[in-house]
Amino acid sequence: SDDPNTKNVIIGQDARGNLVVAYWSISDNLVYYTISKDDGKTWSDSLPIPGVIGAAAVYKSNLDDYAMAADGDGNLHLIIVGQETAVQSTLDVLDVVWDGVAWQAPSVVAAYEGDVPEWPRVTVSRGNIVNVVWFVRAEETIWDSDNGKYRVWYARGVTSAARVNPEAIPTFTPTVEPTALPTQVLTPQVDAVMNANDLDTAPVSNVRPQSGDVLYSETDYVLFLAKSLIPSVIFLAGVFMVNFIRRK
């Protein structure tokens, strides 16, 4: 549509695989539709849905919306709030059905005088049960949302579409729990028995490993300290001799 004043755009797919878009044109208060037979690449000219008009003549609000769902035969149920004729002063919740070829005459889900139905939603269960919900604005608080008391309503209708039996919920058989095995007790085993006579009884100070870290005894540390002090002793002795000679 080239009309910028369009609203409530809704899309569905019928039994033939065609995409069907319906929308409300605010400019002329009509409900239009267009069809695509090539997955949305091209669309037919927009035409008004016969037998219905929008709600603007009674309720000038842009807060409403449309809904659409397919039944078991692929018929599209378009749910709108509107009127069947321009002369009536009431608003209806309408179900308009697209059967794949044309729109059928609308059926009235609920009719209101004074109060305003709004924001319908639809879903189909079992293939042939149409479930519709909507809420209602009371006449005395239509334009006073802060003080409004809204109620949600629903309605059900059975169509001529084929009934679809619900899929059985799969049942799961619990698997056999594994039998717990006894905890294995590990018994420490002695690989070899070592006798005292097998031990090397040599003093630690005489043991020299072939590689790696070297082990030192207390005697080794004393000798190492003495060796490290020899240069200092020689230096001090030299200083003492020099001072002694000068004094002579």
Side-chain angles (χ1 to χ4, degrees):
S1 172
D2 297 329
D3 185 359
N5 297 316
T6 58
K7 195 178 178 300
N8 303 353
V9 181
I10 192 69
I11 188 171
Q13 188 174 38
D14 63 20
R16 300 185 177 188
N18 300 323
L19 299 177
V20 181
V21 169
Y23 61 91
W24 175 37
S25 172
I26 302 176
S27 302
D28 55 13
N29 198 31
L30 296 178
V31 182
Y32 287 84
Y33 77 101
T34 178
I35 301 174
S36 175
K37 298 182 179 181
D38 53 10
D39 298 327
K41 296 182 179 65
T42 60
W43 294 87
S44 66
D45 293 335
S46 296
L47 297 173
I49 297 177
V52 295
I53 59 176
V58 176
Y59 180 50
K60 294 180 174 61
S61 172
N62 295 335
L63 299 178
D64 197 15
D65 200 9
Y66 292 167
M68 185 185 293
D71 62 22
D73 288 348
N75 301 315
L76 296 177
H77 293 260
L78 172 64
I79 309 298
I80 72 170
V81 173
Q83 298 174 303
E84 294 181 87
T85 65
V87 297
Q88 71 182 77
S89 59
T90 59
L91 289 179
D92 301 331
V93 179
L94 300 172
D95 179 9
V96 195
V97 179
W98 169 260
D99 62 7
V101 178
W103 292 95
Q104 300 177 4
S107 59
V108 178
V109 178
Y112 291 88
E113 184 174 357
D115 297 344
V116 173
E118 199 169 39
W119 213 268
R121 286 292 179 263
V122 61
T123 185
V124 177
S125 58
R126 301 279 179 98
N128 66 339
I129 302 176
V130 181
N131 307 274
V132 181
V133 297
W134 66 95
F135 78 89
V136 174
R137 294 180 182 270
E139 182 178 9
E140 59 272 15
T141 56
I142 287 179
W143 306 110
D144 186 10
S145 298
D146 291 339
N147 296 316
K149 295 181 180 180
Y150 308 110
R151 298 188 64 183
V152 177
W153 296 79
Y154 77 95
R156 274 182 168 179
V158 180
T159 73
S160 59
R163 181 181 178 86
V164 178
N165 293 324
E167 295 183 2
I169 300 176
T171 57
F172 297 94
T173 303
T175 58
V176 179
E177 295 184 0
T179 304
L181 298 177
T183 304
Q184 183 179 2
V185 179
L186 300 178
T187 303
Q189 297 179 357
V190 179
D191 294 335
V193 178
M194 182 176 293
N195 297 321
N197 295 331
D198 298 331
L199 297 176
D200 186 0
T201 58
V204 175
S205 58
N206 295 332
V207 177
R208 293 291 183 268
Q210 298 299 322
S211 62
D213 297 334
V214 178
L215 300 177
Y216 294 100
S217 66
E218 294 181 359
T219 305
D220 293 330
Y221 282 111
V222 173
L223 293 175
F224 177 78
L225 181 61
K227 292 178 181 179
S228 63
L229 291 176
I230 291 175
S232 300
V233 172
I234 294 174
F235 175 77
L236 292 174
V239 173
F240 175 78
M241 289 299 294
V242 172
N243 289 335
F244 179 76
I245 294 172
R246 287 180 178 178
R247 288 180 181 178
K248 285 184 176 184

